[in-house]
Amino acid sequence: EITVAQAKIMSVISLVSQAAAEKLAEGRMSQKCEEMAKEEKDIHLANLGEGGEKGVLGKERSTAFAILEVCLCILVQYFPDISPRATQSSSVIAMQARSRAKLSHRNSFSEDQSELIATCMKTLGSIMYLCSPAGALAL
């Protein structure tokens, strides 16, 4: 079933997000130690993360952007109204998503679907921590 496959994808995405957050935390700790050794201010510490000082996220190389994309693709299947393109599209896939959403709202979501949606939302909430402050705003 598609929900099971999407749940497996989200579990991998969650692991990627956790690994990226751990790598970023290690980078912050090593930079903080270096700066303390040099007795400099930790101004650059806040700019660690995707986006840097200017908040520019390279869509081709950004882990945070890729995670955002996957989560939104899954969520649009259950809530097509969150995508202006999906609500205006007349493609077969868009029409299937709209009819699936109408059926789901009438009958409520299955347990697997509810868990998938909750995992997507939890993951969306955590991706801003992979970015610098400016990168989080850009995302």
Side-chain angles (χ1 to χ4, degrees), residues 9 13 15-16 18 26 32 43 45 48 50 55 57 68 77 83-85 93 107 115 126:
I9 290 168
I13 292 292
L15 291 173
V16 168
Q18 289 173 0
E26 288 173 9
K32 188 173 183 177
I43 296 169
L45 192 61
L48 280 181
E50 294 187 22
L57 294 170
L68 174 69
Q77 291 182 0
S83 170
R85 186 179 292 171
I93 294 171
N107 302 330
E115 287 179 25
S126 68

Side-chain angles (χ1 to χ4, degrees), residues 24-87:
L24 182 59
E26 288 173 9
R28 285 184 176 148
M29 287 303 295
S30 66
Q31 185 171 353
K32 188 173 183 177
C33 290
E34 287 174 15
E35 288 179 359
M36 287 174 65
K38 294 178 183 178
E39 295 183 21
E40 292 181 6
K41 297 179 183 175
D42 57 348
I43 296 169
H44 302 290
L45 192 61
N47 292 322
L48 280 181
E50 294 187 22
E53 284 183 43
K54 296 182 181 181
V56 177
L57 294 170
K59 293 178 177 120
E60 304 84 27
R61 302 191 66 188
S62 172
T63 304
F65 188 81
I67 292 170
L68 174 69
E69 227 173 4
V70 171
C71 290
L72 288 179
C73 284
I74 291 172
L75 289 173
V76 164
Q77 291 182 0
Y78 297 101
F79 306 103
D81 293 338
I82 64 175
S83 170
R85 186 179 292 171
T87 57

Side-chain angles (χ1 to χ4, degrees), residues 2-20 67 70-71 74 112 115-123 126:
I2 194 163
T3 306
V4 174
Q6 289 173 336
K8 289 180 181 180
I9 290 168
M10 280 310 301
S11 67
V12 171
I13 292 292
S14 294
L15 291 173
V16 168
S17 178
Q18 289 173 0
I67 292 170
V70 171
C71 290
I74 291 172
D112 289 340
E115 287 179 25
L116 176 63
I117 292 166
T119 303
C120 283
M121 296 304 291
K122 180 181 174 186
T123 304
S126 68

